[in-house]
């Protein structure tokens, strides 16, 4: 893979947010004995470097009643070295869609030897493991893991830690192009190989997101992303006193973290999770509020934003879904102690203009779960490991 | 890449047509010191094997006034080891679109060191080279290379031979997904690595071809492909006496050949080129007509059909374009001496039903150019080589 070097970095306390880096060539060929002298603006990430990181990376696919054909395509696009972790909240009755997903991934693993785990979000063992770890934030009143993509993602992080991985990457299950999934994983690995801090996050910016309505129109930004980015940039600008537009991936569902970073972040529920991650980083390490972890601050936290070559083509979830994403995302920005009056006003204005709140309303405060590091991950691992075979999609010979 | 083994092979004289093989996993990971025992139905093609073939492969991109963004995406998807050959018939006036393509590919090569050639189909030097080689079939009354994608493809094959490549693969410039282009090249290489004969052809079957009309509908077969395949299968079935549906890629624009095969085939003009390639193979080596080359017949000619994981999403060229593809393709099948009365009747029926011909008409007979081997490729190479620098998109340092 050939990729641009970051050309600009915004510093906020010990947080470094790199401006967007574009993928220039999907497949940059063999490692040469005498490496070519690359242009100062370009980096070639060797296949071996990428695979070294992939071996230490879990790709998490949260899913809920997704079309099986899409789900199958997505798992087939994940590079072989990555452990796949599917956390499914699909229905069990009247049609057992979870069972269909299990069958599909088992068939895939049978023919490819790919390592994969699949677990239902309402699995009683999972709930027990979460409870024994003391992670009550994740549980509902029935003592099961709460509904929602965010909770599934956090559970998957605990599993990735248990599996001794160093990185975790997220990929949505509704992607039409296996080749795009493949590129996300490569971008994650390339990003981590470029990061200077072990506390790193890679967020994906889609080259284009085709809009299908009487032909194709290639939008660069969705309305939701545009608004979220604007408000986050306002948050940073008012603190630093210099206007910035560095945040271009505020809502990025496709993103990855080193587990050393992932385990120290608190997580929001629902669609606030991705914007909240950035907010939490700025809170914990931006130097405005008390520093969350001294050692981490010494290394710094690095956010990379990578623009893919492939456009992003996924299931259209409709306008309601978009509003459903806007409100919680801006809620995360609105309710951080970092948020100044000016940015609050901006958020309220945007939400009112888009009919997402009434004039006297505020966006909801996100439900926040404690960082995984605060819970007993050892206990979690003990419970899960005992039942690991039943979650593995690859049968032992 | 993990791919199915061919499960069925139709034999027709010394031609072997393999049934469709599906890609199971885009990225099958590192070569293991102790290779896993693969399932009997599956083959893992190691990255090194693929790259060895890519180094010997030219990827030809014929283009004509294509959207520049799509063209740029397509070249960025080609694996680094493959030589890119762009043959463009884009307009020069009033806007010099060819110049824009040149600029785009030069910029790409500058940053990636990718080897690429770009040449205009109406280039006077190209015409001179074709003329000196004695390839008059390719020239129009103005002594320039004839218009049409097919003529551009044949000229590109001569350039690939000049560049000492062993394989040539074709990719259309109107593809929305760089990742799909990448997969085509991998499939070509995987196919050649599996072929038992040095005279081999790989034809791509798209997993799905999304139809965009009030949402997405994933069609497996276009109407044109369905009809062409049916008529070709009828041609084979009536000769062997056993009905077959082995041909599933009669119209495949995405296909590749070993140059040893490519240089001995005659080529049809226009959209007949891809179906005619199959017809020419059946004519030359099917054992019904006199064998074209004894040595080749000894090795056999092998046709592989590979189904990609990625769907195929390209510019919609409209219904007229589809009819424009159907007629010449069926013309190729209709006018071969192999074609029996029954298949002729089938073709006429299909064409009438689809309003492509009137009741008393026949499909047009394709204009056929001699096989490249019949012309003086040495002369061609001498002329081109002298001007090679002006076609290279990668500047010398």
């Amino acid at each position: 893979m050939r990729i641009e070097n970051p050309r600009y970095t915004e510093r906020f306390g010990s947080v470094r947010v790199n401006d967007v880096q574009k993928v220039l060539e999907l497949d940059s060929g063999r490692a040469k004995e005498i490496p070519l002298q690359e242009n100062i603006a370009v980096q070639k990430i060797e296949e071996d470097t990428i695979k070294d990181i992939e071996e230490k990376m879990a790709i998490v696919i949260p899913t809920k009643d997704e079309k099986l054909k899409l789900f199958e395509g997505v798992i087939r696009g994940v590079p072989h070295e990555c452990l796949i972790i599917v956390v499914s909240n699909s229905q069990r009755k009247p049609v057992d869609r979870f069972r269909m997903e299990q069958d599909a991934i088992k068939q895939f693993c049978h023919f490819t030897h790919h390592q994969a785990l699949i677990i239902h979000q309402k699995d009683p063992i999972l709930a027990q493991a979460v409870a024994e770890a003391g992670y009550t934030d994740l549980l509902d009143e029935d003592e099961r893991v709460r509904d929602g993509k965010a909770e599934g993602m956090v559970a998957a992080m605990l599993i990735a830690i248990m599996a001794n991985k160093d990185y975790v990457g997220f990929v949505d299950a509704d992607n039409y192009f296996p080749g795009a999934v493949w590129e996300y994983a490569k971008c994650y690995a390339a990003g981590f190989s470029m990061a200077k801090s072990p506390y790193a996050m890679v967020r994906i910016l889609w080259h284009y997101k085709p809009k299908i309505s009487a032909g194709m129109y290639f939008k660069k930004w969705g309305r939701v992303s545009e608004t979220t980015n604007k408000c986050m940039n306002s948050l940073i600008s008012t603190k630093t006193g210099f206007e910035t537009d560095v945040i271009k991936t505020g809502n990025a569902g496709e993103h990855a973290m080193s587990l050393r970073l992932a385990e120290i972040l608190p997580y929001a529920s629902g669609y606030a999770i991705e914007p909240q991650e950035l907010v939490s980083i700025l809170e914990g390490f931006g130097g405005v509020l008390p520093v969350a972890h001294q050692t981490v601050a010494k290394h710094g936290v690095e956010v990379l934003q990578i623009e893919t070559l492939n456009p992003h083509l996924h299931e259209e979830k409709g306008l309601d879904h978009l509003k459903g994403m806007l409100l919680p995302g801006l809620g995360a920005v609105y309710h951080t102690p970092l948020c100044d009056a000016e940015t609050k006003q901006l958020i309220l204005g945007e939400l009112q203009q888009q009919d997402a709140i009434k004039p006297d309303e505020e966006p909801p405060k996100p439900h926040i779960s404690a960082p995984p590091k605060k819970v007993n991950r050892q206990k979690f691992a003990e419970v899960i490991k005992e039942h690991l075979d039943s979650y593995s999609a690859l049968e032992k010979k």
Side-chain angles (χ1 to χ4, degrees), chain A:
Chain A
M1 175 164 270
R2 260 197 187 78
I3 195 162
E4 287 177 347
N5 276 321
R7 273 188 281 192
Y8 177 73
T9 303
E10 189 78 49
R11 286 172 178 81
F12 190 76
S14 49
V15 181
R16 297 190 294 273
V17 182
N18 293 311
D19 203 352
V20 169
Q21 306 167 247
K22 290 182 197 218
V23 175
L24 298 177
E25 194 181 36
L26 281 185
D27 179 336
S28 58
R30 280 190 157 129
K32 296 281 184 293
E33 273 175 54
I34 309 153
L36 286 164
Q37 211 187 333
E38 294 289 333
N39 188 292
I40 196 164
V42 178
Q43 233 174 94
K44 181 185 178 197
I45 318 285
E46 300 294 358
E47 203 48 44
D48 254 354
T49 310
I50 289 181
K51 288 204 157 62
D52 283 345
I53 290 176
E54 284 173 351
E55 282 172 352
K56 294 181 254 169
M57 182 155 65
I59 292 291
V60 171
I61 306 171
T63 186
K64 183 168 192 288
D65 300 328
E66 201 46 73
K67 288 182 185 154
L68 206 62
K69 290 269 181 195
L70 296 188
F71 174 72
E72 274 193 294
V74 166
I75 55 178
R76 287 180 190 279
V78 177
H80 188 81
E81 321 290 353
C82 302
L83 170 69
I84 295 175
I85 303 176
V86 178
V87 181
S88 167
N89 204 5
S90 298
Q91 67 173 30
R92 309 291 314 246
K93 275 184 271 187
V95 179
D96 192 346
R97 293 196 58 90
F98 176 65
R99 177 63 188 272
M100 288 158 71
E101 292 158 3
Q102 276 184 314
D103 287 349
I105 197 167
K106 279 185 180 169
Q107 193 183 42
F108 163 71
C109 293
H110 173 74
F111 282 112
T112 61
H113 308 287
H114 203 122
Q115 297 279 350
L117 302 171
I118 178 164
I119 191 162
H120 198 276
Q121 195 152 341
K122 296 296 182 187
D123 183 84
I125 306 291
L126 178 65
Q128 187 201 329
V130 167
E132 291 200 16
Y135 214 157
T136 45
D137 292 344
L138 236 51
L139 297 174
D140 61 17
E141 52 275 20
D142 299 330
E143 299 280 298
R144 291 287 166 100
V145 173
R146 292 158 57 106
D147 284 324
K149 182 180 147 186
E151 282 72 10
M153 287 166 64
V154 176
M157 287 184 218
L158 293 171
I159 297 172
I161 294 170
M162 176 209 77
N164 291 319
K165 296 292 168 182
D166 292 340
Y167 306 96
V168 63
F170 300 93
V171 170
D172 285 345
D174 67 346
N175 200 304
Y176 281 118
F177 273 78
V181 173
W182 175 85
E183 190 188 11
Y184 297 147
K186 298 286 158 186
C187 287
Y188 297 160
F192 291 126
S193 82
M194 284 184 286
K196 285 169 204 83
S197 166
Y199 302 91
M201 173 182 274
V202 181
R203 297 173 83 92
I204 297 292
L205 175 66
W206 306 317
H207 188 185
Y208 293 102
K209 190 175 157 188
K211 266 202 98 61
I212 296 150
S213 50
M216 286 273 238
Y217 177 71
F218 283 79
K219 276 186 80 65
K220 181 91 188 169
W221 308 99
R223 183 81 188 262
V224 171
S225 304
E226 216 167 344
T227 314
T228 310
N229 293 338
K230 185 158 80 175
C231 298
M232 279 205 185
N233 283 317
S234 161
L235 188 80
I236 299 180
S237 305
T238 50
K239 283 283 166 306
T240 61
F242 291 87
E243 203 168 324
T244 184
D245 65 346
V246 72
I247 302 282
K248 297 197 174 70
T249 57
N251 276 106
E254 261 68 38
H255 70 291
M257 287 181 272
S258 65
L259 278 166
R260 287 173 72 174
L261 173 62
E263 66 181 6
I264 59 171
L265 293 183
Y267 293 97
S269 283
Y271 290 111
I273 185 168
E274 287 100 357
Q276 179 67 47
E277 286 169 4
L278 278 180
V279 169
S280 297
I281 290 173
L282 297 175
E283 285 177 359
F285 310 97
V288 176
L289 303 175
V291 165
H293 298 260
Q294 282 299 345
T295 8
V296 183
K298 218 181 68 193
H299 286 286
V301 174
E302 202 165 344
V303 178
L304 295 99
Q305 305 180 94
I306 299 183
E307 182 183 303
T308 59
L309 258 182
N310 286 301
H312 186 77
L313 191 64
H314 67 153
E315 274 283 281
E316 274 306 333
K317 296 284 186 351
L319 218 69
D320 278 356
H321 174 75
L322 288 182
K323 272 195 197 155
M325 283 186 71
L326 183 68
L327 200 56
L330 291 192
V333 185
Y334 187 91
H335 289 286
T336 168
L338 292 175
C339 195
D340 54 291
E342 201 179 317
T343 304
K344 284 199 176 188
Q345 215 42 54
L346 177 71
I347 293 172
L348 293 176
E350 288 287 345
L351 287 173
Q352 285 167 22
Q353 203 194 322
Q354 297 188 38
D355 276 334
I357 58 169
K358 298 213 182 71
D360 52 348
E361 284 180 343
E362 283 191 339
K365 198 171 174 169
H367 173 275
I368 305 275
S369 299
K373 197 161 190 168
K374 292 261 167 78
V375 307
N376 193 331
R377 287 148 298 153
Q378 193 55 38
K379 274 260 166 64
F380 177 89
E382 279 168 20
V383 178
I384 292 291
K385 268 190 178 147
E386 217 175 294
H387 298 83
L388 202 57
D389 280 355
S390 69
Y391 302 130
S392 174
L394 180 60
E395 317 123 54
K396 288 218 179 87
K397 289 274 160 78

